[in-house]
Amino acid sequence: MPDCIFCRIAAGEIPATVVRRSGDAMAFRDLDPRAPTHVLVIPTAHVAAVRDATGSDGESLLGRLLQFAAEVATDLGLDAGGYRLVTNTGPDAGQSVAHLHLHLLGGRRMSWPPG
Ligand code: AMP
């Protein structure tokens, strides 16, 4: 997906502050952080949103992404205080980049429900 900003970050064509990479995922700092720690976890191959990760390949990808995000949280020292993982899907949720991503947010107390 040449016009996808997160595909371009995954390909190294757009700079990002990369926190960790795995075989098929990467984590980088959000440009507009909403918490002291705000990292985006993406699959390096294009998947538009969580609803598009279908079938057995999608099932294993989502499992790996969640596990990878938990490892990143540990690396960043978030286990003691805890953290939030969010994936926005579609306009009602406010998804602005059509490439599946998990927001990993931590470092402050959060409210519920989200706005
Ligand atoms: P969402 O609104 O859930 O689709 O989240 C997209 C996120 O991507 C937002 O939090 C943006 O701040 C973030 N973002 C957009 N462009 C970049 C970029 N080039 N590098 C890092 N984060 C970005």
Side-chain angles (χ1 to χ4, degrees):
M1 281 268 162
D3 60 344
C4 170
I5 191 163
F6 288 178
C7 283
R8 297 188 66 195
I9 287 175
E13 295 168 9
I14 292 178
T17 305
V18 177
V19 173
R20 187 173 168 134
R21 281 180 187 274
S22 72
D24 60 0
M26 69 184 287
F28 54 94
R29 303 269 179 192
D30 196 293
L31 262 189
D32 181 19
R34 299 309 172 105
T37 298
H38 187 174
V39 165
L40 301 173
V41 173
I42 66 164
T44 49
H46 188 81
V47 177
V50 69
R51 61 188 166 203
D52 301 298
T54 54
S56 57
D57 285 353
E59 181 181 6
S60 46
L61 174 68
L62 292 175
R64 285 196 303 279
L65 270 188
L66 273 178
Q67 204 166 59
F68 180 70
E71 290 165 6
V72 171
T74 299
D75 284 353
L76 296 176
L78 296 176
D79 281 331
Y83 51 87
R84 185 170 288 174
L85 284 170
V86 176
T87 185
N88 294 320
T89 302
D92 278 0
Q95 183 179 12
S96 62
V97 178
H99 183 128
L100 170 61
H101 50 284
L102 305 178
H103 294 260
L104 168 60
L105 298 146
R108 66 167 169 82
R109 195 56 78 94
M110 286 172 221
S111 57
W112 190 263

